[in-house]
């Protein structure tokens, strides 16, 4: 997965915006990755000085001073967007190069591996002949579940059979032999495969 820059400029107060501009200038100065920036570092420095002056004037200044500061903030945001687009183009998703620009990297989504085993799994009689209701705790990253049944020794893997495929955490199994103790378990299915089985539980159909 390619890396990217996180701007979130509207969340930055003017002083934080100024800090970001100064940081980007410092990081890009002499950086061979950015030999021909879209906006020269000298222009960035001039705009940073303009913003700093506007911030100071607005602290105890007039309404006009605050409005001017806000105009400079908009100018700085536009400048940073342009420079960030240049950095993205030059870096081509390379996280190391992007980070060297002084811009903050966007958080990358970590791929979800094979789902874990369902933490809670229950089975109970419904009161209807041949039925058992099973419930399980949802598993992060799972898109569906296999429900397994074993009628004999649960320690033998070959004795387990898949009797249901479901996307729900509650499933009613039908066609089971009445009043015969059966073992039940569940596994979670994700894009990376099938997880380990839950703990075994015992239940009977009516």
């Amino acid at each position: 997965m390619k890396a990217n820059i996180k701007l979130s400029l509207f969340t930055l107060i003017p002083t934080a915006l100024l800090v970001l501009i100064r940081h980007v200038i410092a990081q890009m100065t002499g950086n061979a990755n950015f030999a021909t920036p879209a906006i020269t570092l000298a222009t960035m420095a001039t705009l940073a000085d303009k913003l700093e002056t506007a911030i100071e004037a607005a602290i105890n200044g007039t309404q006009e001073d605050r409005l001017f500061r806000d105009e400079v903030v908009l100018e700085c945001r536009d400048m940073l967007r342009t420079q960030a687009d240049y950095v993205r183009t030059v870096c081509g998703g390379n996280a190391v190069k992007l980070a060297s620009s002084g811009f903050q990297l966007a958080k990358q989504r970590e791929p979800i591996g094979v789902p874990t085993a369902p933490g809670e799994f229950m089975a109970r009689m419904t009161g209807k002949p041949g039925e058992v209701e099973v419930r399980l705790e949802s598993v992060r990253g799972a898109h569906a579940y296999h429900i397994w049944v074993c009628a004999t020794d649960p320690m033998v893997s070959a004795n387990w059979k898949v009797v249901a495929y479901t996307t729900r955490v509650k499933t009613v199994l039908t066609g089971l032999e009445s009043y015969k103790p059966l073992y039940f378990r569940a596994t979670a299915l994700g894009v990376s495969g099938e997880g380990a089985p839950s703990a075994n539980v015992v239940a009977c159909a009516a």
Side-chain angles (χ1 to χ4, degrees), residues 1-2 11 22 29 33 37 50 66 70 88 91 94-95 111 120 122 127 154 166 173 189 199:
M1 183 181 296
K2 291 185 177 181
T11 65
R22 298 287 195 201
T29 299
N33 293 318
K50 182 179 178 180
R66 290 188 287 274
D70 294 343
R88 290 188 183 101
C91 295
N94 184 296
E120 292 184 16
M122 298 175 291
T166 180
L173 306 176
L189 306 171

Side-chain angles (χ1 to χ4, degrees), residues 121 123 130 132-134 145-151 159-166 171-177 182-187 194:
F121 181 67
V132 167
E133 180 187 88
V134 296
Y145 304 91
H146 274 155
I147 308 300
W148 301 71
V149 172
C150 176
N159 291 340
W160 287 93
K161 306 296 180 185
V162 175
V163 293
Y165 169 90
T166 180
T171 302
V172 175
L173 306 176
T174 60
L176 302 175
E177 184 177 345
L182 298 171
Y183 295 93
F184 298 87
R185 71 184 187 188
T187 52
E194 185 170 13

Side-chain angles (χ1 to χ4, degrees), residues 39-60:
I39 297 174
T40 65
L41 300 185
T43 299
M44 289 186 69
T46 298
L47 190 53
D49 292 340
K50 182 179 178 180
L51 177 60
E52 185 171 5
T53 300
I55 291 171
E56 292 174 354
I59 292 174
N60 295 308

Side-chain angles (χ1 to χ4, degrees), residues 8 38 42 55-57 64 75 77-78 93 115 131 135 142 144 166 188 199:
S8 302
I55 291 171
E56 292 174 354
E64 287 75 14
E75 189 178 354
R77 287 174 179 168
D78 288 340
E131 285 190 0
R135 292 175 178 262
T166 180

Side-chain angles (χ1 to χ4, degrees), residues 115-129:
T116 59
E120 292 184 16
F121 181 67
M122 298 175 291
R124 68 178 184 86
M125 183 186 295
T126 67
K128 295 182 179 180

Side-chain angles (χ1 to χ4, degrees), residues 1 3 6 9 16 25 28 34 39 52 61 75 87 93 101 104 138 143 145 149 152 190 196 201:
M1 183 181 296
K6 176 184 177 182
L9 298 178
I25 292 171
M28 293 182 67
F34 313 110
I39 297 174
E52 185 171 5
E75 189 178 354
V87 168
S101 70
Q104 182 181 358
S138 62
H143 59 71
Y145 304 91
V149 172
T152 53
V201 297

